[in-house]
Amino acid sequence: MHTPESISRALDRILPFVQKPARYTGGEFNSVVKDWDATDVKVALVFPDVYDLGMSNLGLAILYDAVNREPDMLAERAYLPWVDMLEAMRRADLPLYSLETRHPLARFDVLGFSLAYEQLYTNALEVLDLAGVPLLAADRVDGPLILAGGSACLNPEPMHAFFDAFLIGEGESAITEIARAWAEARRQGLSRAEALAVLARLEGVYVPAF
């Protein structure tokens, strides 16, 4: 199993040989790093495009702040690496990780994708594959909730097979409710289908499986 320490060691070997390595290191001014082990609900916010485009996305920044304001929750960020880093990560069998603490995305409770436009659809699938998450929602029996929101989700049907749930509408207040409900349902021992049924009752949440 990959750990933040093993990922950091792999990055030490990889980053000298890729373009713009600062895209993959984190540590930016105003980034938030919480205690992983002391935080109950863990959310990875994903913009499925290169860091240069995603880091200034205001929607993601608002969600990042909203989640990290909650004392029992943390939000960390991930972006789709550029093609040279993608190839290097696959050669090293390195999963996609969060910038703040370098935990593999598959270890989070929720992966929240911001789909601002339709061109990000295939990028989102690349992110899932690099994170080691089954592409099809029907194939997932464990692991994080794969959630999508944003302007390109107003019609969620083109991507219905790949996401567990969609948030239709504004996510600022809903993201914390969804993440907390999912984490609590899983802690109670509910199956994935039962936990999704809990989410389906929340306002604005569309679960394609139902």
Side-chain angles (χ1 to χ4, degrees), residues 11-27:
L11 290 175
D12 287 342
R13 297 191 299 271
I14 291 172
L15 292 183
F17 304 100
V18 300
Q19 300 177 51
K20 300 184 180 180
R23 290 167 166 166
Y24 312 111
T25 59

Side-chain angles (χ1 to χ4, degrees), residues 40-41 109-110 142-143 145 176-202:
D40 293 332
V41 184
D109 297 303
V110 178
D142 205 353
L145 171 73
T176 54
E177 181 183 14
I178 293 169
R180 194 173 279 120
W182 173 261
E184 179 61 27
R186 296 298 274 168
R187 272 197 296 269
Q188 291 176 0
L190 272 62
S191 69
R192 195 173 187 88
E194 290 169 333
L196 287 172
V198 171
L199 297 189
R201 293 194 287 270
L202 300 180

Side-chain angles (χ1 to χ4, degrees), residues 4-16 24-25 85 89 94 97 102:
E5 293 75 21
S6 68
I7 290 173
S8 292
R9 288 194 296 271
L11 290 175
D12 287 342
R13 297 191 299 271
I14 291 172
L15 292 183
Y24 312 111
T25 59
M85 184 62 168
M89 292 177 69
L94 188 65
Y97 57 90
R102 297 184 179 174

Side-chain angles (χ1 to χ4, degrees), residues 95-133:
L96 191 58
Y97 57 90
S98 66
L99 287 183
E100 279 74 8
T101 62
R102 297 184 179 174
H103 279 86
L105 293 194
R107 292 188 57 188
F108 285 79
D109 297 303
V110 178
L111 301 188
F113 284 74
S114 178
L115 297 181
Y117 37 88
E118 289 80 359
Q119 288 87 346
L120 297 180
Y121 285 168
T122 53
N123 286 8
L125 302 185
E126 187 80 66
V127 167
L128 291 175
D129 185 60
L130 194 60
V133 175

